[in-house]
């Protein structure tokens, strides 16, 4: 028996075997099950996304001997003949080869006759946009009011060329391009069934090269199997497609992060030895920069499907977001201007030199180490400034400090006059009447007050702190220093709690790499319950699209190694049966034993990881608001400066960690 290519061998024969196009399948399945069938359908989309396949399955559903339904038996004579392409009542027409009006008239002469074998006579017209205007005009009347036993199925890759009179007579379905993720999942399934060894990185190259077409992906897979001698490896697929080595692109980004011209040109020289397409190299560079930019904004979106997740996190931490955006724009413009360069390599090198030379100026560097936890660089108190600094939030202007100092001096009691009241680093002179500045040789700890202001405290019991400040002994500032240290420590604790002073933009950037929680040694499947599932989810390390699904799952019941989940119906549009298999594989690896997973879309009544995370955020936010409301420093600011606390503006620092 002759070899049958993968695209034909694995062509779906039922709706449930289709990959993607759920929005089209749902409408057709409901119409078939409810008996609401239209007489003309138009399927539009790029090549290889399933237009003809859906039309043939629909013809099989209409003529199955077991009745009209969305699940044909596949065993009756009509189903077998349609699958083999010899059913007499399925008339397939190639409009590209029958464009004349005479061909259309000949085709329509038999419309009035009843079907020979089946229930309906189905006209499948492929590439219908190739018909001439006269052919469309001849088809209009029959297309609008066909006999009840006739169905028209039209397929086109260019619906804009169809007259609006034809479009208005059909139900239109626009088929979407296949995403690389969906193509890779289907290729993995097919190759496992065909028992062909493969590398996952090679499948991603094939998925991107298919450019949204599943048929192209299957054809390229056939070519890769022949090229690799019965196996598919990443290096061979890259050589077959002429793709750029991903490792060299990462070397270019590494040199840009290190700002090393020598490393940059060494990577270019290594790339030039492969005689690459420099336009494709710029496109690959821009694609990696896009992934880095997304990882900097959404660290949880990093997916290691390509095997470069660690590199992606590393470069997202090392390259500033401003530089990433600039590099991306330069790569796009360089790709546009590459045909104008003297030769492609010089244009490529000039683009990299621009990235290296023209970086944003005046932007703080990315922190290379952990941020300090306290103000260790603050100088210790000196004898020239023995005053006790009042704990306060850093003022936004010197005017607020002046106002606070005036109010404190106005409320001072006679017993406090002897105590030092000068701030550590005052940007102004305290406003006092008849102030006599101390001469240079006088000891700095003597209070700089006129005699009239100092005499009243000498007639009353003077506090110990004031007496020691008035004596010229060298050890006198020690209690003041202790009090300063105590107040400084209190200030640090308050700032650490409420974080009143925001971090600079570069330091406030989220941490580039979040450590994945390791699985505890005591993790056992028999200990998993619906109540413990939300807490266990954080240990799985789920990322990518699967994270968006599993984050909203509720564990309903566990029977031995069979887990039944309910997916929140609000996120049903993201779900695919592939995610059910991927979650089962992930849990099997986690528990070190086979796990079967069933996911059903419905209303969630219990706790999901998403609800647990939301409840945790609310609790942290409430605790942060309570801490601010009870903080004595906040009360002091409200009383003395008339400050107002806005609860809606409070954020929990735990969310940024």
């Amino acid at each position: 028996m002759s070899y049958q290519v993968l695209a034909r061998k694995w062509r779906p024969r039922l709706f449930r075997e289709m990959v993607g196009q759920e929005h089209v399948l749902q409408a057709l399945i409901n119409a078939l099950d409810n008996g609401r069938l239209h007489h003309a359908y138009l399927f539009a989309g790029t090549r290889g996304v399933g237009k003809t396949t859906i039309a043939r399955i629909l013809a099989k559903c209409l003529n199955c001997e077991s009745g009209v339904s969305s699940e044909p038996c596949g065993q009756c004579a009509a189903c077998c003949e349609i699958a083999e392409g010899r059913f007499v009542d399925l008339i397939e027409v190639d409009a590209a080869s029958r464009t004349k009006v005479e061909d259309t008239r000949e085709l329509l002469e038999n419309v009035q006759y009843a079907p020979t074998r089946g229930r309906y006579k189905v006209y499948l017209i492929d590439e219908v946009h190739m018909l001439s205007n006269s052919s469309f005009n001849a088809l209009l009347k029959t297309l609008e009011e066909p006999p009840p036993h006739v169905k028209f199925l039209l397929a086109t890759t260019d619906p804009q060329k169809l007259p609006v009179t034809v479009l208005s007579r059909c139900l239109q379905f626009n088929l979407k391009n296949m995403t690389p993720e969906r193509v890779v999942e289907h290729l993995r399934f097919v190759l496992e069934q065909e028992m062909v060894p493969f590398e996952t990185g090679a499948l991603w190259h094939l998925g991107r090269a298919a450019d949204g077409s599943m048929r192209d992906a299957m054809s390229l897979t056939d070519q890769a199997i022949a090229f690799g001698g019965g196996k598919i490896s990443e290096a061979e697929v890259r050589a077959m497609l002429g793709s750029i080595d991903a490792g060299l692109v990462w070397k270019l980004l590494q040199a840009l992060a290190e700002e090393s011209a020598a490393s940059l040109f060494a990577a270019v020289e290594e790339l030039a030895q492969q005689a690459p397409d420099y336009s494709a190299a710029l496109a690959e560079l821009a694609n990696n920069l896009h992934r880095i930019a997304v990882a900097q904004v959404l660290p949880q979106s990093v997916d290691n499907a390509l095997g470069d997740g660690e590199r992606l996190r590393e470069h997202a931490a090392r390259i500033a977001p401003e530089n990433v955006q600039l590099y991306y724009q330069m790569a796009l413009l360089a790709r546009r201007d590459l045909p104008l360069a003297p030769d492609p390599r010089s244009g490529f090198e000039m683009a990299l030199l621009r990235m290296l030379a023209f970086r944003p100026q005046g932007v703080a560097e990315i922190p290379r180490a952990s941020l300090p936890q306290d103000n260790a660089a603050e100088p210790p108190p000196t004898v020239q400034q023995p005053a006790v600094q009042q704990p306060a939030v850093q003022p936004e202007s010197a005017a607020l400090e002046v106002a606070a100092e005036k109010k404190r001096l106005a409320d001072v009691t006679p017993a406090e006059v002897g105590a030092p009241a000068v701030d550590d680093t005052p940007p102004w002179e305290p406003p006092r009447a008849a102030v006599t500045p101390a001469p240079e040789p006088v000891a700095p700890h003597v209070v700089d007050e006129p005699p009239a202001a100092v005499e009243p405290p000498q007639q009353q019991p003077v506090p110990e702190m004031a007496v020691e400040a008035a004596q010229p002994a060298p050890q006198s500032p020690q209690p003041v220093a202790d009090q300063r240290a105590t107040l400084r420590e209190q200030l640090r604790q308050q700032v650490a709690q409420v974080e009143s002073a925001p971090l600079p933009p570069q330091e406030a950037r989220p941490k580039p790499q979040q450590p994945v929680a390791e699985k505890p040694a005591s993790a056992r499947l028999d200990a998993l319950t619906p109540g413990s599932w939300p807490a266990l989810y954080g240990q799985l390390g789920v990322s990518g699209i699967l994270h968006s699904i599993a984050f909203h799952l509720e564990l309903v019941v566990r029977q031995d190694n069979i887990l039944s989940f309910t997916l929140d119906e609000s996120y049903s549009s993201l779900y695919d049966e592939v995610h059910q298999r991927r979650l089962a594989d992930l849990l099997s690896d986690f528990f070190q034993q086979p796990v079967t997973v069933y996911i059903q879309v419905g209303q969630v009544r219990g706790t999901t990881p998403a609800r647990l995370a939301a409840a945790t955020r609310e609790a942290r936010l409430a605790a942060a608001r309570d801490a601010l409301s009870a903080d004595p420093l906040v009360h002091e600011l409200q009383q003395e400066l008339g400050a107002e606390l806005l609860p809606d503006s409070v954020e929990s620092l735990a969310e940024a960690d």
Side-chain angles (χ1 to χ4, degrees):
M1 184 177 179
S2 61
Y3 174 74
Q4 191 175 20
V5 298
L6 295 177
R8 295 184 60 187
K9 182 179 180 179
W10 290 95
R11 169 171 276 178
R13 293 173 173 82
L14 299 173
F15 283 139
R16 54 184 168 84
E17 295 179 359
M18 288 289 299
V19 178
Q21 316 304 346
E22 290 83 1
H23 63 294
V24 176
L25 301 179
Q26 182 178 357
L28 295 178
I29 291 173
N30 293 339
L32 289 166
D33 293 340
N34 299 327
R36 302 182 65 87
L37 296 173
H38 202 269
H39 61 269
Y41 294 87
L42 174 63
F43 302 105
T46 188
R47 75 275 179 269
V49 294
K51 301 184 297 297
T52 306
T53 299
I54 291 178
R56 290 179 179 175
I57 298 175
L58 181 57
K60 192 183 298 185
C61 295
L62 293 172
N63 289 290
C64 181
E65 295 178 0
S66 61
V68 178
S69 68
S70 60
E71 285 285 340
C73 66
Q75 304 296 330
C76 64
C79 292
C80 294
E81 291 177 5
I82 292 175
E84 296 171 2
R86 55 185 180 86
F87 189 63
V88 67
D89 290 322
L90 175 59
I91 300 97
E92 294 194 25
V93 180
D94 181 15
S97 60
R98 305 187 63 177
T99 61
K100 297 180 180 180
V101 65
E102 292 81 4
D103 298 328
T104 304
R105 290 172 180 171
E106 180 183 353
L107 182 68
L108 297 178
E109 286 178 357
N110 298 323
V111 170
Q112 56 184 333
Y113 301 111
T116 304
R117 293 278 308 278
R119 189 177 295 105
Y120 292 96
K121 182 180 288 187
V122 180
Y123 288 87
L124 174 53
I125 306 177
D126 203 2
E127 300 299 336
V128 67
H129 66 275
M130 300 294 291
L131 293 177
S132 63
N133 291 332
S134 300
S135 299
F136 279 125
N137 293 332
L139 185 64
L140 286 180
K141 184 60 178 176
T142 307
L143 189 62
E144 182 177 7
E145 298 177 355
H149 60 267
V150 173
K151 301 293 181 184
F152 285 97
L153 306 180
L154 312 180
T156 178
T157 56
D158 195 356
Q160 297 179 355
K161 292 184 179 180
L162 269 65
V164 293
T165 52
V166 173
L167 296 175
S168 65
R169 287 167 168 80
C170 304
L171 287 186
Q172 304 177 42
F173 295 98
N174 294 316
L175 278 68
K176 301 177 182 178
N177 288 4
M178 299 291 179
T179 61
E181 293 81 5
R182 193 178 295 274
V183 172
V184 169
E185 289 292 338
H186 186 61
L187 291 181
R188 182 183 288 111
F189 170 76
V190 171
L191 293 175
E192 288 174 353
Q193 298 298 318
E194 293 286 333
M195 292 184 293
V196 176
F198 64 90
E199 295 179 2
T200 304
L203 299 188
W204 281 100
H205 285 290
L206 295 173
R208 289 196 295 266
D211 195 21
S213 171
M214 186 64 75
R215 183 173 60 229
D216 288 3
M218 302 292 278
S219 300
L220 289 172
T221 304
D222 260 325
Q223 183 180 352
I225 294 175
F227 188 85
K231 61 181 178 64
I232 299 178
S233 64
E234 183 176 2
E236 292 174 343
V237 169
R238 192 188 307 116
M240 181 190 76
L241 298 175
S243 302
I244 304 299
D245 188 355
L248 295 179
V249 177
W250 285 114
K251 284 185 178 180
L252 294 174
L253 290 173
Q254 179 75 16
L256 290 174
E258 296 174 353
E259 302 177 13
S260 172
S263 301
L264 188 65
F265 274 85
V268 173
E269 182 64 29
E270 187 177 354
L271 180 65
Q273 295 177 2
Q274 302 181 1
D277 180 1
Y278 288 100
S279 178
L282 286 172
E284 188 69 19
L285 184 64
N287 180 59
N288 284 4
L289 288 170
H290 162 259
R291 296 176 61 204
I292 290 175
V294 174
Q296 289 176 338
V297 178
L298 297 173
Q300 67 273 16
S301 67
V302 176
D303 194 346
N304 196 33
L306 295 179
D308 56 358
E310 188 64 28
R311 286 179 173 178
L312 186 61
R313 294 187 184 93
E314 178 184 352
H315 286 80
R318 298 191 62 182
I319 307 178
E322 297 84 358
N323 293 350
V324 172
Q325 296 294 331
L326 182 62
Y327 296 162
Y328 182 81
Q329 190 67 22
M330 286 182 175
L332 293 183
L333 296 178
R335 192 181 181 195
R336 182 196 66 183
D337 298 339
L338 196 61
L340 304 177
D343 61 87
R345 178 173 176 176
S346 64
F348 183 74
E349 291 178 348
M350 284 301 296
L352 296 177
L353 287 176
R354 284 196 296 270
M355 295 179 187
L356 191 64
F358 299 100
R359 295 188 301 109
Q361 301 298 321
V363 179
E365 295 292 336
I366 293 293
R368 297 295 193 269
S370 302
L371 297 179
Q373 299 299 324
D374 55 10
N375 299 329
E378 184 175 335
T382 59
V383 293
Q384 284 81 5
Q385 297 175 349
V388 178
Q389 183 178 0
Q390 298 295 332
V393 180
Q394 295 179 359
E396 297 185 2
S397 64
L400 293 179
E401 295 185 0
V402 175
E405 181 69 14
K406 288 182 178 181
K407 183 173 181 60
R408 191 185 64 79
L409 292 176
D411 297 338
V412 69
T413 60
E416 297 173 343
V417 175
V422 182
D423 197 48
D424 282 349
T425 55
W428 71 93
E429 192 68 19
R432 299 183 181 182
V435 176
T436 304
E440 191 67 26
V442 178
H445 53 266
V446 178
V447 178
D448 193 9
E449 294 279 351
V454 180
E455 288 181 16
Q458 296 177 355
Q459 301 174 2
Q460 302 178 14
V462 182
E464 181 181 358
M465 176 179 171
V467 172
E468 293 179 357
Q471 297 176 359
Q475 293 81 6
S476 58
Q478 184 62 32
V480 177
D482 294 342
Q483 189 172 2
R484 285 169 51 84
T486 302
L487 292 176
R488 186 180 296 109
E489 185 63 26
Q490 294 177 358
L491 179 59
R492 291 171 185 168
Q493 295 176 359
Q494 292 167 353
V495 171
Q497 281 186 346
V498 301
E499 195 68 13
S500 42
L503 294 172
Q506 291 288 340
E507 297 179 349
R509 187 175 299 110
K511 299 177 182 177
Q513 178 179 3
Q514 296 293 338
V516 179
E518 298 182 357
K519 182 187 70 172
S522 60
R524 294 182 292 109
L525 181 59
D526 53 5
L528 179 61
T529 62
S532 63
W533 157 249
L536 174 69
Y537 173 80
Q539 305 174 12
L540 298 179
V542 186
S543 62
I545 301 177
L546 183 59
H547 166 74
S548 302
I549 298 296
F551 199 51
H552 301 279
L553 288 179
E554 174 195 7
L555 178 59
V556 180
V557 65
R558 180 187 63 82
Q559 295 180 354
D560 296 332
N561 64 335
I562 301 177
L563 305 180
S564 298
F565 291 92
T566 299
L567 174 62
D568 192 342
E569 55 189 2
S570 303
Y571 300 88
S572 60
S573 60
L574 303 175
Y575 175 66
D576 189 274
E577 291 185 359
V578 174
H579 301 124
Q580 179 174 288
R581 185 169 66 253
R582 290 181 60 189
L583 181 60
D585 295 340
L586 184 65
L587 292 174
S588 299
D589 295 340
F590 183 80
F591 290 109
Q592 298 298 318
Q593 65 182 80
V595 176
T596 304
V597 172
Y598 293 101
I599 298 178
Q600 183 178 4
V601 179
Q603 185 176 2
V604 174
R605 303 183 183 277
T607 304
T608 64
R611 292 186 176 181
L612 178 63
T616 304
R617 286 194 299 269
E618 290 296 331
R620 290 173 175 172
L621 185 58
R625 290 173 177 171
D626 294 342
L628 276 176
S629 301
D631 190 86
L633 181 60
V634 175
H635 292 169
E636 182 179 354
L637 291 175
Q638 291 175 337
Q639 294 174 1
E640 296 188 0
L641 301 179
E644 180 181 359
L645 178 63
L646 302 178
D648 294 338
S649 64
V650 178
E651 295 183 1
S652 174
L653 288 179
E655 298 300 322
D657 293 338

